[in-house]
Amino acid sequence: MVYDDDPAEPVYIPVYDEDRPDDPALVFPPRTQDEYDLIAEMASEYEEWDALRIHSELMREGAEVELGAVRYVVAELEEREAGFERGF
């Protein structure tokens, strides 16, 4: 914690992107192939939804899925789509 002796002078501490840790939610894949397929099916059915919305809907349906697994699958599907669009 930073204490400022002079309250009239604000203290600014810059935070740079390279100082921030990597997002741990993107690191791990789903636990099973069934879990992967369930996430991929919902992501392809509702393309306008982001990972948080897909995770919320899966949890509401009773599926025990981590948000990081949903983010992993959505990011992987987006990479595949980008590769197909570029012609790779």
Side-chain angles (χ1 to χ4, degrees):
M1 178 170 267
V2 176
Y3 293 98
D4 188 6
D5 293 334
D6 184 12
E9 221 31 64
V11 176
Y12 295 102
I13 301 174
V15 178
Y16 302 102
D17 286 339
E18 55 268 7
D19 294 337
R20 297 175 191 264
D22 293 334
D23 186 6
L26 292 176
V27 175
F28 59 91
R31 293 175 291 204
T32 63
Q33 185 64 38
D34 291 336
E35 190 174 285
Y36 183 95
D37 293 339
L38 180 65
I39 297 166
E41 178 184 330
M42 186 164 278
S44 63
E45 187 175 339
Y46 303 103
E47 294 177 0
E48 67 277 358
W49 288 1
D50 61 346
L52 185 59
R53 174 75 187 269
I54 293 170
H55 177 255
S56 299
E57 292 297 324
L58 288 171
M59 293 298 288
R60 191 160 45 128
E61 291 177 5
E64 295 291 328
V65 180
E66 291 92 4
L67 177 58
V70 176
R71 287 183 177 165
Y72 180 91
V73 173
V74 169
E76 188 174 275
L77 293 173
E78 287 175 354
E79 281 182 18
R80 284 188 195 168
E81 286 294 319
F84 287 134
E85 290 172 2
R86 287 191 298 246
F88 294 113

